[in-house]
mmCIF file of all heavy atoms in Angstrom:
data_model
loop_
_atom_site.group_PDB
_atom_site.id
_atom_site.type_symbol
_atom_site.label_atom_id
_atom_site.label_comp_id
_atom_site.label_asym_id
_atom_site.label_seq_id
_atom_site.Cartn_x
_atom_site.Cartn_y
_atom_site.Cartn_z
ATOM 1 N N LEU A 1 -37.001 63.802 22.098
ATOM 2 C CA LEU A 1 -35.771 63.550 21.480
ATOM 3 C C LEU A 1 -34.909 64.838 21.338
ATOM 4 O O LEU A 1 -33.699 64.780 21.574
ATOM 5 C CB LEU A 1 -35.942 62.937 20.055
ATOM 6 C CG LEU A 1 -36.432 61.484 19.985
ATOM 7 C CD1 LEU A 1 -36.818 61.082 18.616
ATOM 8 C CD2 LEU A 1 -35.375 60.534 20.561
ATOM 9 N N GLU A 2 -35.540 65.894 21.059
ATOM 10 C CA GLU A 2 -34.853 67.252 21.026
ATOM 11 C C GLU A 2 -34.336 67.589 22.363
ATOM 12 O O GLU A 2 -33.197 68.060 22.495
ATOM 13 C CB GLU A 2 -35.827 68.293 20.439
ATOM 14 C CG GLU A 2 -35.165 69.607 20.192
ATOM 15 C CD GLU A 2 -35.990 70.669 19.490
ATOM 16 O OE1 GLU A 2 -37.172 70.257 19.106
ATOM 17 O OE2 GLU A 2 -35.563 71.750 19.316
ATOM 18 N N LEU A 3 -35.106 67.383 23.429
ATOM 19 C CA LEU A 3 -34.688 67.637 24.761
ATOM 20 C C LEU A 3 -33.512 66.791 25.209
ATOM 21 O O LEU A 3 -32.620 67.244 25.873
ATOM 22 C CB LEU A 3 -35.836 67.439 25.753
ATOM 23 C CG LEU A 3 -35.660 67.805 27.191
ATOM 24 C CD1 LEU A 3 -35.368 69.339 27.368
ATOM 25 C CD2 LEU A 3 -36.885 67.459 27.976
ATOM 26 N N ALA A 4 -33.477 65.572 24.747
ATOM 27 C CA ALA A 4 -32.428 64.617 25.130
ATOM 28 C C ALA A 4 -31.078 64.935 24.403
ATOM 29 O O ALA A 4 -30.051 64.414 24.820
ATOM 30 C CB ALA A 4 -32.869 63.189 24.811
ATOM 31 N N GLN A 5 -31.115 65.796 23.430
ATOM 32 C CA GLN A 5 -29.846 66.047 22.709
ATOM 33 C C GLN A 5 -28.746 66.677 23.534
ATOM 34 O O GLN A 5 -27.582 66.513 23.280
ATOM 35 C CB GLN A 5 -30.140 66.943 21.496
ATOM 36 C CG GLN A 5 -30.932 66.274 20.401
ATOM 37 C CD GLN A 5 -31.162 67.167 19.180
ATOM 38 O OE1 GLN A 5 -30.588 68.131 19.095
ATOM 39 N NE2 GLN A 5 -32.051 66.791 18.333
ATOM 40 N N ALA A 6 -29.175 67.371 24.594
ATOM 41 C CA ALA A 6 -28.185 68.058 25.481
ATOM 42 C C ALA A 6 -27.330 67.079 26.179
ATOM 43 O O ALA A 6 -26.106 67.279 26.299
ATOM 44 C CB ALA A 6 -28.914 68.981 26.480
ATOM 45 N N GLN A 7 -27.890 66.042 26.744
ATOM 46 C CA GLN A 7 -27.086 65.069 27.595
ATOM 47 C C GLN A 7 -27.127 63.610 27.056
ATOM 48 O O GLN A 7 -26.424 62.798 27.530
ATOM 49 C CB GLN A 7 -27.611 65.108 28.963
ATOM 50 C CG GLN A 7 -27.604 66.441 29.696
ATOM 51 C CD GLN A 7 -28.222 66.383 31.083
ATOM 52 O OE1 GLN A 7 -27.525 66.190 32.021
ATOM 53 N NE2 GLN A 7 -29.562 66.621 31.183
ATOM 54 N N GLY A 8 -28.062 63.379 26.108
ATOM 55 C CA GLY A 8 -28.266 62.002 25.637
ATOM 56 C C GLY A 8 -29.365 61.275 26.385
ATOM 57 O O GLY A 8 -29.658 60.166 25.980
ATOM 58 N N PHE A 9 -29.835 61.908 27.442
ATOM 59 C CA PHE A 9 -30.970 61.263 28.178
ATOM 60 C C PHE A 9 -31.859 62.265 28.813
ATOM 61 O O PHE A 9 -31.561 63.512 28.794
ATOM 62 C CB PHE A 9 -30.325 60.429 29.324
ATOM 63 C CG PHE A 9 -29.747 61.313 30.419
ATOM 64 C CD1 PHE A 9 -30.445 61.710 31.563
ATOM 65 C CD2 PHE A 9 -28.328 61.573 30.399
ATOM 66 C CE1 PHE A 9 -29.903 62.474 32.506
ATOM 67 C CE2 PHE A 9 -27.780 62.377 31.449
ATOM 68 C CZ PHE A 9 -28.574 62.806 32.500
ATOM 69 N N VAL A 10 -32.986 61.871 29.283
ATOM 70 C CA VAL A 10 -33.947 62.735 30.017
ATOM 71 C C VAL A 10 -34.494 61.976 31.175
ATOM 72 O O VAL A 10 -34.341 60.701 31.226
ATOM 73 C CB VAL A 10 -35.101 63.168 29.150
ATOM 74 C CG1 VAL A 10 -34.640 64.048 27.976
ATOM 75 C CG2 VAL A 10 -35.948 62.021 28.677
ATOM 76 N N THR A 11 -35.047 62.671 32.169
ATOM 77 C CA THR A 11 -35.831 62.039 33.243
ATOM 78 C C THR A 11 -37.275 62.420 33.133
ATOM 79 O O THR A 11 -37.605 63.416 32.449
ATOM 80 C CB THR A 11 -35.268 62.449 34.615
ATOM 81 O OG1 THR A 11 -35.488 63.852 34.765
ATOM 82 C CG2 THR A 11 -33.783 62.208 34.712
ATOM 83 N N GLY A 12 -38.085 61.662 33.745
ATOM 84 C CA GLY A 12 -39.586 62.064 33.723
ATOM 85 C C GLY A 12 -39.792 63.319 34.224
ATOM 86 O O GLY A 12 -40.620 64.122 33.675
ATOM 87 N N ASP A 13 -39.169 63.691 35.370
ATOM 88 C CA ASP A 13 -39.398 65.048 35.969
ATOM 89 C C ASP A 13 -38.946 66.130 35.061
ATOM 90 O O ASP A 13 -39.553 67.195 34.979
ATOM 91 C CB ASP A 13 -38.541 65.143 37.347
ATOM 92 C CG ASP A 13 -39.192 64.228 38.432
ATOM 93 O OD1 ASP A 13 -40.387 63.782 38.237
ATOM 94 O OD2 ASP A 13 -38.505 63.913 39.395
ATOM 95 N N GLU A 14 -37.837 65.874 34.405
ATOM 96 C CA GLU A 14 -37.289 66.907 33.442
ATOM 97 C C GLU A 14 -38.233 67.183 32.303
ATOM 98 O O GLU A 14 -38.466 68.339 31.913
ATOM 99 C CB GLU A 14 -35.941 66.519 32.912
ATOM 100 C CG GLU A 14 -35.297 67.467 31.969
ATOM 101 C CD GLU A 14 -33.964 66.959 31.417
ATOM 102 O OE1 GLU A 14 -33.699 65.739 31.484
ATOM 103 O OE2 GLU A 14 -33.232 67.726 30.807
ATOM 104 N N VAL A 15 -38.813 66.082 31.733
ATOM 105 C CA VAL A 15 -39.728 66.196 30.667
ATOM 106 C C VAL A 15 -40.999 67.022 31.052
ATOM 107 O O VAL A 15 -41.368 67.959 30.410
ATOM 108 C CB VAL A 15 -40.190 64.835 30.153
ATOM 109 C CG1 VAL A 15 -41.419 64.952 29.146
ATOM 110 C CG2 VAL A 15 -38.988 64.077 29.491
ATOM 111 N N GLU A 16 -41.445 66.706 32.344
ATOM 112 C CA GLU A 16 -42.670 67.412 32.846
ATOM 113 C C GLU A 16 -42.318 68.957 33.057
ATOM 114 O O GLU A 16 -43.130 69.783 32.689
ATOM 115 C CB GLU A 16 -43.101 66.843 34.131
ATOM 116 C CG GLU A 16 -43.604 65.377 34.059
ATOM 117 C CD GLU A 16 -43.964 64.813 35.367
ATOM 118 O OE1 GLU A 16 -44.333 65.553 36.286
ATOM 119 O OE2 GLU A 16 -43.687 63.518 35.555
ATOM 120 N N ARG A 17 -41.165 69.177 33.588
ATOM 121 C CA ARG A 17 -40.791 70.624 33.976
ATOM 122 C C ARG A 17 -40.464 71.356 32.690
ATOM 123 O O ARG A 17 -40.968 72.474 32.498
ATOM 124 C CB ARG A 17 -39.587 70.577 34.901
ATOM 125 C CG ARG A 17 -39.215 71.972 35.429
ATOM 126 C CD ARG A 17 -38.011 71.940 36.336
ATOM 127 N NE ARG A 17 -36.774 71.643 35.619
ATOM 128 C CZ ARG A 17 -36.207 70.519 35.623
ATOM 129 N NH1 ARG A 17 -36.715 69.430 36.312
ATOM 130 N NH2 ARG A 17 -35.035 70.342 34.965
ATOM 131 N N ARG A 18 -39.616 70.820 31.858
ATOM 132 C CA ARG A 18 -39.138 71.639 30.651
ATOM 133 C C ARG A 18 -40.200 71.765 29.608
ATOM 134 O O ARG A 18 -40.203 72.755 28.881
ATOM 135 C CB ARG A 18 -37.932 70.901 30.055
ATOM 136 C CG ARG A 18 -36.684 70.854 31.048
ATOM 137 C CD ARG A 18 -35.891 72.144 31.018
ATOM 138 N NE ARG A 18 -35.407 72.516 29.808
ATOM 139 C CZ ARG A 18 -34.292 72.087 29.254
ATOM 140 N NH1 ARG A 18 -33.567 71.270 30.026
ATOM 141 N NH2 ARG A 18 -33.846 72.449 28.125
ATOM 142 N N LEU A 19 -41.053 70.813 29.454
ATOM 143 C CA LEU A 19 -42.046 70.880 28.441
ATOM 144 C C LEU A 19 -43.462 71.253 28.983
ATOM 145 O O LEU A 19 -44.409 71.307 28.169
ATOM 146 C CB LEU A 19 -42.150 69.523 27.663
ATOM 147 C CG LEU A 19 -40.879 69.021 27.009
ATOM 148 C CD1 LEU A 19 -41.057 67.675 26.362
ATOM 149 C CD2 LEU A 19 -40.381 70.046 26.014
ATOM 150 N N SER A 20 -43.543 71.403 30.243
ATOM 151 C CA SER A 20 -44.797 71.866 30.881
ATOM 152 C C SER A 20 -45.926 70.762 30.614
ATOM 153 O O SER A 20 -47.022 71.109 30.256
ATOM 154 C CB SER A 20 -45.277 73.215 30.441
ATOM 155 O OG SER A 20 -44.286 74.165 30.720
ATOM 156 N N TRP A 21 -45.535 69.544 30.766
ATOM 157 C CA TRP A 21 -46.530 68.459 30.494
ATOM 158 C C TRP A 21 -47.000 67.893 31.835
ATOM 159 O O TRP A 21 -46.364 68.057 32.915
ATOM 160 C CB TRP A 21 -45.825 67.324 29.773
ATOM 161 C CG TRP A 21 -45.515 67.585 28.301
ATOM 162 C CD1 TRP A 21 -45.742 68.735 27.696
ATOM 163 C CD2 TRP A 21 -44.884 66.679 27.361
ATOM 164 N NE1 TRP A 21 -45.346 68.639 26.361
ATOM 165 C CE2 TRP A 21 -44.836 67.403 26.186
ATOM 166 C CE3 TRP A 21 -44.395 65.381 27.518
ATOM 167 C CZ2 TRP A 21 -44.286 66.831 25.049
ATOM 168 C CZ3 TRP A 21 -43.891 64.808 26.412
ATOM 169 C CH2 TRP A 21 -43.805 65.462 25.153
ATOM 170 N N THR A 22 -48.116 67.203 31.790
ATOM 171 C CA THR A 22 -48.544 66.434 32.933
ATOM 172 C C THR A 22 -47.711 65.143 33.073
ATOM 173 O O THR A 22 -47.089 64.692 32.066
ATOM 174 C CB THR A 22 -50.064 66.042 32.785
ATOM 175 O OG1 THR A 22 -50.217 65.190 31.648
ATOM 176 C CG2 THR A 22 -50.963 67.296 32.603
ATOM 177 N N SER A 23 -47.831 64.559 34.251
ATOM 178 C CA SER A 23 -47.072 63.305 34.451
ATOM 179 C C SER A 23 -47.534 62.225 33.481
ATOM 180 O O SER A 23 -46.768 61.482 32.941
ATOM 181 C CB SER A 23 -47.232 62.814 35.889
ATOM 182 O OG SER A 23 -46.628 61.623 36.092
ATOM 183 N N GLY A 24 -48.852 62.135 33.302
ATOM 184 C CA GLY A 24 -49.417 61.140 32.395
ATOM 185 C C GLY A 24 -48.932 61.212 31.015
ATOM 186 O O GLY A 24 -48.646 60.240 30.332
ATOM 187 N N ARG A 25 -48.875 62.473 30.500
ATOM 188 C CA ARG A 25 -48.450 62.705 29.157
ATOM 189 C C ARG A 25 -46.969 62.332 28.918
ATOM 190 O O ARG A 25 -46.607 61.715 27.937
ATOM 191 C CB ARG A 25 -48.746 64.195 28.763
ATOM 192 C CG ARG A 25 -48.237 64.527 27.286
ATOM 193 C CD ARG A 25 -48.545 66.018 27.056
ATOM 194 N NE ARG A 25 -48.174 66.377 25.697
ATOM 195 C CZ ARG A 25 -48.329 67.630 25.229
ATOM 196 N NH1 ARG A 25 -48.805 68.612 26.003
ATOM 197 N NH2 ARG A 25 -47.926 67.891 23.986
ATOM 198 N N ALA A 26 -46.156 62.665 29.926
ATOM 199 C CA ALA A 26 -44.736 62.377 29.853
ATOM 200 C C ALA A 26 -44.516 60.841 29.866
ATOM 201 O O ALA A 26 -43.716 60.287 29.088
ATOM 202 C CB ALA A 26 -43.941 63.041 31.001
ATOM 203 N N ILE A 27 -45.153 60.147 30.795
ATOM 204 C CA ILE A 27 -44.993 58.701 30.918
ATOM 205 C C ILE A 27 -45.474 58.009 29.697
ATOM 206 O O ILE A 27 -44.807 57.064 29.228
ATOM 207 C CB ILE A 27 -45.703 58.172 32.155
ATOM 208 C CG1 ILE A 27 -45.081 58.745 33.472
ATOM 209 C CG2 ILE A 27 -45.824 56.644 32.132
ATOM 210 C CD1 ILE A 27 -45.840 58.431 34.754
ATOM 211 N N ASP A 28 -46.588 58.449 29.097
ATOM 212 C CA ASP A 28 -47.159 57.788 27.964
ATOM 213 C C ASP A 28 -46.132 57.925 26.768
ATOM 214 O O ASP A 28 -45.900 56.992 26.090
ATOM 215 C CB ASP A 28 -48.445 58.447 27.592
ATOM 216 C CG ASP A 28 -49.129 57.793 26.355
ATOM 217 O OD1 ASP A 28 -49.465 56.678 26.384
ATOM 218 O OD2 ASP A 28 -49.159 58.515 25.267
ATOM 219 N N ALA A 29 -45.622 59.096 26.554
ATOM 220 C CA ALA A 29 -44.677 59.335 25.470
ATOM 221 C C ALA A 29 -43.393 58.480 25.629
ATOM 222 O O ALA A 29 -42.874 57.877 24.738
ATOM 223 C CB ALA A 29 -44.336 60.741 25.268
ATOM 224 N N LEU A 30 -42.861 58.496 26.869
ATOM 225 C CA LEU A 30 -41.602 57.793 27.188
ATOM 226 C C LEU A 30 -41.815 56.295 27.091
ATOM 227 O O LEU A 30 -40.910 55.559 26.609
ATOM 228 C CB LEU A 30 -41.124 58.171 28.643
ATOM 229 C CG LEU A 30 -40.605 59.533 28.792
ATOM 230 C CD1 LEU A 30 -40.333 59.923 30.289
ATOM 231 C CD2 LEU A 30 -39.189 59.727 28.068
ATOM 232 N N ASP A 31 -43.002 55.818 27.557
ATOM 233 C CA ASP A 31 -43.245 54.375 27.389
ATOM 234 C C ASP A 31 -43.301 53.943 25.937
ATOM 235 O O ASP A 31 -42.868 52.869 25.635
ATOM 236 C CB ASP A 31 -44.572 54.005 28.132
ATOM 237 C CG ASP A 31 -44.380 54.006 29.682
ATOM 238 O OD1 ASP A 31 -43.245 54.016 30.080
ATOM 239 O OD2 ASP A 31 -45.423 53.901 30.354
#
């Protein structure tokens, strides 16, 4: 939610890159 404040949205790739998460962690949180 904090990351999304800049544009109002995020992408899965952005979450992985900016937060240094694995794909599974990002998808689980977004889902």
Side-chain angles (χ1 to χ4, degrees):
L1 289 173
E2 186 172 355
L3 184 61
Q5 289 181 16
Q7 305 176 87
F9 70 88
V10 296
T11 65
D13 290 343
E14 182 185 12
V15 171
E16 294 173 35
R17 185 181 71 258
R18 296 282 298 277
L19 301 179
S20 300
W21 289 2
T22 63
S23 175
R25 181 178 180 181
I27 292 173
D28 181 66
L30 288 168
D31 283 348

